[in-house]
Amino acid sequence: MKVHIIRKATWLLLCFVLVSWMVPSRPGIHLIGDSISVQYWPYLKEYLAGRADIDRKKDDGQAEKNLDVPTGANGGDSRMVLEYLRARFKDPSFNPDYVLLNCGLHDIKHDPQTGVIQVEADNYRENLSIIFTMLLQKGIRPIWIRTTWVVDSVHNSRSSSIVRYAADVDKYNAIADEMCREYNIPSIDLYEFSKGLGIERVIDHVHYDDATRSLQAAYIAGFVQNILSGGRR
Protein backbone atom coordinates (compact mmCIF):
# COMPACT_ATOMS: atom_id res chain seq x y z
CA MET A 1 0.00 0.00 0.00
CA LYS A 2 2.77 2.41 0.93
CA VAL A 3 4.62 1.61 -2.29
CA HIS A 4 1.48 2.40 -4.29
CA ILE A 5 1.03 5.74 -2.53
CA ILE A 6 4.68 6.65 -3.06
CA ARG A 7 4.46 5.78 -6.75
CA LYS A 8 1.28 7.82 -7.14
CA ALA A 9 2.80 10.79 -5.34
CA THR A 10 5.93 10.53 -7.49
CA TRP A 11 3.81 10.45 -10.64
CA LEU A 12 1.80 13.49 -9.57
CA LEU A 13 4.99 15.38 -8.75
CA LEU A 14 6.43 14.49 -12.13
CA CYS A 15 3.27 15.68 -13.86
CA PHE A 16 3.40 18.97 -11.93
CA VAL A 17 7.04 19.52 -12.88
CA LEU A 18 6.33 18.79 -16.55
CA VAL A 19 3.33 21.13 -16.66
CA SER A 20 5.31 23.87 -14.91
CA TRP A 21 8.11 23.43 -17.42
CA MET A 22 5.75 23.52 -20.41
CA VAL A 23 3.86 26.66 -19.31
CA PRO A 24 6.08 29.67 -20.05
CA SER A 25 6.55 32.17 -17.26
CA ARG A 26 5.27 35.66 -17.92
CA PRO A 27 7.99 38.23 -18.65
CA GLY A 28 8.60 40.92 -16.05
CA ILE A 29 8.20 44.55 -17.10
CA HIS A 30 9.09 47.57 -14.98
CA LEU A 31 7.65 50.96 -15.92
CA ILE A 32 9.52 54.22 -15.30
CA GLY A 33 7.96 57.38 -16.67
CA ASP A 34 6.72 60.89 -15.99
CA SER A 35 3.25 62.04 -14.95
CA ILE A 36 1.82 60.95 -18.31
CA SER A 37 2.68 57.37 -17.35
CA VAL A 38 1.19 57.85 -13.90
CA GLN A 39 -2.14 58.55 -15.55
CA TYR A 40 -2.16 55.77 -18.16
CA TRP A 41 -0.70 53.20 -15.73
CA PRO A 42 -4.03 51.70 -14.46
CA TYR A 43 -5.10 50.97 -18.03
CA LEU A 44 -1.72 49.63 -19.11
CA LYS A 45 -1.67 47.26 -16.15
CA GLU A 46 -5.14 46.02 -17.11
CA TYR A 47 -4.31 45.57 -20.81
CA LEU A 48 -1.14 43.58 -20.12
CA ALA A 49 -2.68 41.42 -17.39
CA GLY A 50 -2.07 37.74 -18.08
CA ARG A 51 0.60 38.56 -20.66
CA ALA A 52 3.27 40.11 -18.44
CA ASP A 53 4.02 40.75 -14.79
CA ILE A 54 4.18 44.52 -14.86
CA ASP A 55 5.04 46.87 -12.04
CA ARG A 56 6.33 50.42 -11.82
CA LYS A 57 8.32 52.84 -9.76
CA LYS A 58 6.54 52.70 -6.42
CA ASP A 59 4.06 55.32 -5.37
CA ASP A 60 2.86 56.42 -1.96
CA GLY A 61 -0.04 58.37 -3.40
CA GLN A 62 1.93 61.59 -3.74
CA ALA A 63 2.51 61.54 -7.51
CA GLU A 64 -1.07 62.48 -8.44
CA LYS A 65 -1.36 65.24 -5.84
CA ASN A 66 0.84 67.48 -7.98
CA LEU A 67 1.72 66.00 -11.36
CA ASP A 68 4.30 68.72 -12.00
CA VAL A 69 6.41 67.62 -9.03
CA PRO A 70 8.29 64.37 -9.69
CA THR A 71 7.74 62.18 -6.66
CA GLY A 72 6.50 58.66 -6.04
CA ALA A 73 5.65 56.95 -9.34
CA ASN A 74 6.64 60.06 -11.30
CA GLY A 75 10.17 59.27 -12.52
CA GLY A 76 11.11 62.88 -13.21
CA ASP A 77 14.00 63.90 -15.45
CA SER A 78 16.81 61.75 -16.86
CA ARG A 79 19.08 62.42 -13.88
CA MET A 80 16.42 61.18 -11.50
CA VAL A 81 15.77 58.07 -13.60
CA LEU A 82 19.50 57.31 -13.64
CA GLU A 83 19.78 57.67 -9.87
CA TYR A 84 16.65 55.58 -9.37
CA LEU A 85 18.09 52.73 -11.44
CA ARG A 86 21.44 52.91 -9.66
CA ALA A 87 19.60 52.54 -6.37
CA ARG A 88 17.42 49.68 -7.63
CA PHE A 89 20.40 47.74 -8.96
CA LYS A 90 21.71 47.51 -5.40
CA ASP A 91 18.79 45.13 -4.81
CA PRO A 92 19.62 41.72 -6.36
CA SER A 93 15.91 40.93 -6.67
CA PHE A 94 15.41 43.77 -9.16
CA ASN A 95 15.79 41.90 -12.42
CA PRO A 96 12.89 42.52 -14.82
CA ASP A 97 13.08 41.25 -18.37
CA TYR A 98 12.15 44.67 -19.74
CA VAL A 99 12.17 48.26 -18.56
CA LEU A 100 9.51 50.40 -20.24
CA LEU A 101 11.03 53.84 -20.03
CA ASN A 102 10.51 57.53 -20.67
CA CYS A 103 11.97 60.79 -19.46
CA GLY A 104 11.97 64.13 -21.20
CA LEU A 105 9.16 66.43 -20.11
CA HIS A 106 10.93 67.24 -16.86
CA ASP A 107 14.29 67.62 -18.61
CA ILE A 108 12.93 70.39 -20.83
CA LYS A 109 11.35 72.46 -18.06
CA HIS A 110 12.54 76.08 -18.04
CA ASP A 111 12.66 78.23 -14.95
CA PRO A 112 10.14 81.03 -15.71
CA GLN A 113 12.37 83.60 -14.00
CA THR A 114 15.80 82.72 -15.39
CA GLY A 115 14.88 80.75 -18.50
CA VAL A 116 17.39 78.06 -17.54
CA ILE A 117 16.47 74.59 -18.80
CA GLN A 118 16.46 71.81 -16.21
CA VAL A 119 18.72 69.35 -18.06
CA GLU A 120 20.90 70.51 -20.95
CA ALA A 121 20.71 68.53 -24.18
CA ASP A 122 24.26 67.15 -23.89
CA ASN A 123 23.55 65.97 -20.35
CA TYR A 124 20.30 64.39 -21.49
CA ARG A 125 22.16 62.47 -24.16
CA GLU A 126 24.80 61.34 -21.67
CA ASN A 127 22.19 60.25 -19.13
CA LEU A 128 20.32 58.16 -21.69
CA SER A 129 23.58 56.57 -22.81
CA ILE A 130 24.40 55.56 -19.24
CA ILE A 131 20.85 54.33 -18.58
CA PHE A 132 20.75 52.19 -21.72
CA THR A 133 24.23 50.82 -21.07
CA MET A 134 23.39 49.91 -17.47
CA LEU A 135 20.22 48.09 -18.45
CA LEU A 136 21.78 46.18 -21.31
CA GLN A 137 24.76 45.15 -19.21
CA LYS A 138 22.31 43.70 -16.68
CA GLY A 139 20.57 41.73 -19.42
CA ILE A 140 17.47 43.94 -19.16
CA ARG A 141 15.91 45.04 -22.43
CA PRO A 142 14.83 48.69 -22.57
CA ILE A 143 11.73 49.76 -24.47
CA TRP A 144 11.69 53.52 -24.98
CA ILE A 145 8.56 55.71 -25.08
CA ARG A 146 8.89 59.02 -26.95
CA THR A 147 8.02 62.15 -25.00
CA THR A 148 4.52 63.52 -25.63
CA TRP A 149 3.91 66.81 -27.35
CA VAL A 150 3.72 70.36 -26.05
CA VAL A 151 1.83 73.27 -27.60
CA ASP A 152 3.55 76.49 -26.52
CA SER A 153 0.47 78.71 -26.53
CA VAL A 154 -1.56 76.20 -24.54
CA HIS A 155 1.11 75.07 -22.09
CA ASN A 156 2.57 78.45 -21.21
CA SER A 157 -0.77 80.22 -20.88
CA ARG A 158 -2.00 77.59 -18.42
CA SER A 159 1.16 77.06 -16.36
CA SER A 160 2.91 79.84 -14.47
CA SER A 161 5.45 77.70 -12.57
CA ILE A 162 6.81 75.70 -15.52
CA VAL A 163 7.68 76.81 -19.04
CA ARG A 164 8.09 74.29 -21.86
CA TYR A 165 8.55 74.64 -25.60
CA ALA A 166 7.64 72.37 -28.49
CA ALA A 167 11.07 72.96 -30.03
CA ASP A 168 12.68 71.34 -26.99
CA VAL A 169 10.37 68.32 -27.21
CA ASP A 170 11.42 67.87 -30.83
CA LYS A 171 15.10 68.31 -29.98
CA TYR A 172 15.10 65.91 -27.04
CA ASN A 173 13.00 63.34 -28.89
CA ALA A 174 15.53 63.49 -31.73
CA ILE A 175 18.33 62.83 -29.23
CA ALA A 176 16.44 59.85 -27.79
CA ASP A 177 15.72 58.56 -31.30
CA GLU A 178 19.42 58.68 -32.10
CA MET A 179 20.33 56.88 -28.89
CA CYS A 180 17.71 54.18 -29.56
CA ARG A 181 19.18 53.57 -33.00
CA GLU A 182 22.70 53.45 -31.57
CA TYR A 183 21.74 50.91 -28.89
CA ASN A 184 19.20 49.04 -31.04
CA ILE A 185 16.33 49.78 -28.67
CA PRO A 186 12.68 49.71 -29.80
CA SER A 187 10.82 52.99 -29.47
CA ILE A 188 7.09 53.59 -29.03
CA ASP A 189 6.01 56.82 -30.72
CA LEU A 190 3.59 58.11 -28.12
CA TYR A 191 4.37 61.63 -29.35
CA GLU A 192 2.77 61.21 -32.78
CA PHE A 193 -0.01 59.01 -31.41
CA SER A 194 -1.05 61.59 -28.80
CA LYS A 195 -0.64 64.52 -31.17
CA GLY A 196 -2.88 62.80 -33.69
CA LEU A 197 -5.73 62.67 -31.18
CA GLY A 198 -5.97 66.48 -31.14
CA ILE A 199 -5.35 69.39 -28.81
CA GLU A 200 -8.85 69.12 -27.34
CA ARG A 201 -7.65 66.01 -25.49
CA VAL A 202 -5.29 68.13 -23.34
CA ILE A 203 -7.07 69.07 -20.12
CA ASP A 204 -4.48 71.38 -18.56
CA HIS A 205 -1.02 72.38 -19.84
CA VAL A 206 0.31 68.92 -20.74
CA HIS A 207 -1.94 66.14 -19.40
CA TYR A 208 -4.77 64.25 -21.10
CA ASP A 209 -8.38 63.35 -20.46
CA ASP A 210 -9.26 59.90 -19.17
CA ALA A 211 -10.33 58.51 -22.54
CA THR A 212 -6.96 59.49 -24.01
CA ARG A 213 -5.07 57.81 -21.17
CA SER A 214 -6.88 54.58 -22.00
CA LEU A 215 -6.00 54.94 -25.69
CA GLN A 216 -2.36 55.68 -24.88
CA ALA A 217 -2.19 52.57 -22.71
CA ALA A 218 -3.78 50.45 -25.44
CA TYR A 219 -1.27 51.76 -27.98
CA ILE A 220 1.67 50.98 -25.71
CA ALA A 221 0.25 47.57 -24.75
CA GLY A 222 -0.13 46.60 -28.40
CA PHE A 223 3.47 47.53 -29.09
CA VAL A 224 4.71 45.64 -26.04
CA GLN A 225 2.71 42.53 -26.91
CA ASN A 226 4.25 42.56 -30.38
CA ILE A 227 7.72 42.56 -28.81
CA LEU A 228 6.80 39.80 -26.37
CA SER A 229 5.55 37.66 -29.25
CA GLY A 230 8.90 37.98 -30.99
CA GLY A 231 8.16 40.91 -33.25
CA ARG A 232 9.57 44.41 -33.28
CA ARG A 233 8.27 47.72 -34.53
Side-chain angles (χ1 to χ4, degrees):
M1 183 69 177
K2 289 184 178 179
V3 173
H4 175 71
I5 293 173
I6 292 172
R7 284 177 178 172
K8 187 174 181 180
T10 303
W11 172 250
L12 290 172
L13 178 60
L14 180 60
C15 289
F16 175 78
V17 170
L18 286 173
V19 169
S20 299
W21 178 77
M22 292 171 63
V23 176
S25 60
R26 290 192 296 266
I29 300 175
H30 189 76
L31 173 66
I32 310 171
D34 54 30
S35 55
I36 306 299
S37 75
V38 171
Q39 294 192 315
Y40 65 61
W41 160 254
Y43 297 106
L44 183 63
K45 185 177 181 181
E46 175 186 350
Y47 299 155
L48 289 176
R51 297 174 176 86
D53 293 327
I54 183 168
D55 68 356
R56 65 171 176 172
K57 187 175 183 287
K58 299 305 179 187
D59 188 45
D60 56 3
Q62 295 299 310
E64 294 195 64
K65 290 184 177 180
N66 187 342
L67 294 169
D68 291 328
V69 177
T71 185
N74 189 335
D77 63 36
S78 58
R79 290 177 300 202
M80 294 178 65
V81 171
L82 178 55
E83 291 307 310
Y84 169 74
L85 285 171
R86 282 174 170 159
R88 288 307 310 266
F89 282 138
K90 293 178 181 178
D91 178 3
S93 67
F94 180 70
N95 191 33
D97 298 290
Y98 299 88
V99 164
L100 192 56
L101 172 68
N102 167 264
C103 48
L105 279 179
H106 287 279
D107 294 83
I108 66 166
K109 291 192 298 189
H110 290 258
D111 185 297
Q113 303 301 320
T114 65
V116 174
I117 196 166
Q118 184 153 315
V119 178
E120 294 286 350
D122 287 344
N123 298 125
Y124 181 69
R125 180 189 302 274
E126 181 181 7
N127 291 339
L128 292 192
S129 178
I130 297 171
I131 288 168
F132 291 164
T133 299
M134 285 174 55
L135 290 170
L136 292 169
Q137 286 179 343
K138 295 286 186 179
I140 300 171
R141 287 161 282 186
I143 302 173
W144 181 254
I145 302 175
R146 300 184 82 226
T147 297
T148 48
W149 68 318
V150 166
V151 178
D152 295 4
S153 59
V154 173
H155 185 288
N156 298 327
S157 65
R158 297 178 180 179
S159 173
S160 59
S161 60
I162 297 172
V163 175
R164 292 187 178 98
Y165 300 104
D168 289 324
V169 176
D170 293 339
K171 181 178 181 179
Y172 282 54
N173 267 338
I175 291 171
D177 292 343
E178 181 183 336
M179 301 305 293
C180 286
R181 288 191 296 270
E182 180 178 338
Y183 287 88
N184 195 30
I185 292 168
S187 175
I188 302 174
D189 195 355
L190 197 62
Y191 172 91
E192 288 293 347
F193 178 80
S194 302
K195 184 177 181 180
L197 296 175
I199 189 61
E200 64 275 8
R201 300 277 189 159
V202 178
I203 58 174
D204 53 14
H205 53 303
V206 76
H207 302 103
Y208 299 92
D209 61 31
D210 193 63
T212 303
R213 300 168 201 171
S214 175
L215 291 172
Q216 289 172 326
Y219 180 70
I220 294 169
F223 192 106
V224 169
Q225 289 179 50
N226 183 64
I227 291 177
L228 298 182
S229 64
R232 177 176 173 137
R233 296 183 185 175

